[in-house]
Amino acid sequence: MKTIVIDDLPGFLIGQEQDLTAMTGCTVMICSSGAVCGVDVRGGSPGTRDTDALNPVNNRSSVHAVLFSGGSSFGMDAAGGVMRYLEQRKIGRDVGVTVVPNVCAAILFDLNCGDHKVRPDERMGYEACENAFSGQKWMSGNYGAGTGATLGTAAGKMTAMKGGIGSCALVHDKLFVGAVVAVNCVGDVVDSRSGKITAGARKADNSGFLNSELYTVETYLNKADFYSGNTLLACIMTNAALTK
């Protein structure tokens, strides 16, 4: 098995656009020929667009793009720009008079990171698509949907750390799989091998990590809202044979 860069996944294009002053942005994963797609939505305050159509009982056979956006629910506007760009390129479901791109979207909460009055909009979604088709190279960190992401917010934003967006891709013979993840979580990032916290909520005196899991267990009775402002978004892309 060989590690490759996410840009090298055949059949997929990825584009990002962001406002580094307002600290928000969006990331789009495009499959022009359409890809069989499934979805798993969890959490207490999810924000999604057109994911119900992916239920196996429905007839939606493929998806042409998946959008991750900051801006909370306001960021859904960026999907309109993705729709407009793909329609102009004749990418979508042929309905006779035009094509209708199947675009699924999910949002994360980043309004308290930068300027809450600036959110990903139709223009930003359109520009993310332009960047994808122009050959924009993948960038991890404060880019796209990860621009305003945070992590370790269990004890409040003053002891939290910056989140972001990342990717991983692997190939084995003719089989490939890649993942794009926007990390905007309430908890910590833990090294799976050592069990050590590598990023997350810090102690108030900045002497080390707080351990978000223990903190949440110890303080949940105060009815604090730990979860509504945190979402982790992940998109997995593969050429494995899937039927639904």
Side-chain angles (χ1 to χ4, degrees):
M1 188 172 293
K2 178 184 177 182
T3 300
I4 60 174
V5 294
I6 199 76
D7 295 320
D8 290 343
L9 289 182
F12 293 92
L13 294 174
I14 304 174
Q16 305 195 92
E17 184 60 31
Q18 56 277 323
D19 185 325
L20 295 178
T21 300
M23 293 300 289
T24 194
C26 63
T27 300
V28 63
M29 286 69 65
I30 300 169
C31 182
S32 298
S33 60
V36 174
C37 195
V39 67
D40 181 18
V41 181
R42 307 184 191 186
S45 186
T48 59
R49 175 191 185 277
D50 212 22
T51 55
D52 285 347
L54 303 182
N55 190 311
V57 303
N58 296 327
N59 64 4
R60 185 70 56 86
S61 60
S62 63
V63 168
H64 302 98
V66 172
L67 174 74
F68 290 166
S69 179
S72 190
S73 295
F74 299 109
M76 290 294 183
D77 288 347
V82 177
M83 293 279 292
R84 181 163 62 91
Y85 186 92
L86 296 182
E87 182 188 23
Q88 290 174 355
R89 281 187 166 252
K90 307 299 182 185
I91 297 171
R93 187 174 72 255
D94 189 351
V95 295
V97 294
T98 187
V99 298
V100 179
N102 294 334
V103 178
C104 296
I107 51 89
L108 58 80
F109 184 88
D110 60 4
L111 298 180
N112 57 7
C113 186
D115 184 352
H116 72 277
K117 296 180 181 179
V118 178
R119 301 96 181 225
D121 55 12
E122 184 179 356
R123 176 195 59 80
M124 188 176 283
Y126 190 94
E127 291 177 354
C129 292
E130 284 186 320
N131 293 336
F133 278 91
S134 68
Q136 181 189 64
K137 294 299 182 182
W138 170 261
M139 297 291 288
S140 295
N142 294 322
Y143 296 92
T147 305
T150 54
L151 56 86
T153 56
K157 67 178 182 179
M158 296 306 294
T159 56
M161 294 181 69
K162 190 68 187 65
I165 197 164
S167 69
C168 181
L170 301 169
V171 61
H172 177 68
D173 196 13
K174 296 181 180 181
L175 177 68
F176 68 79
V177 61
V180 171
V181 183
V183 181
N184 189 61
C185 57
V186 68
D188 305 322
V189 176
V190 180
D191 188 310
S192 61
R193 292 166 295 184
S194 66
K196 292 183 178 180
I197 298 173
T198 59
R202 296 168 289 112
K203 294 180 180 178
D205 61 3
N206 207 28
S207 62
F209 291 114
L210 181 66
N211 192 317
S212 296
E213 183 178 7
L214 292 179
Y215 177 83
T216 302
V217 170
E218 292 170 356
T219 60
Y220 77 97
L221 287 177
N222 65 13
K223 298 182 180 179
D225 183 1
F226 292 112
Y227 307 112
S228 64
N230 300 274
T231 308
L232 190 145
L233 306 176
C235 179
I236 299 172
M237 296 160 278
T238 181
N239 66 344
L242 303 173
T243 57
K244 191 63 177 175

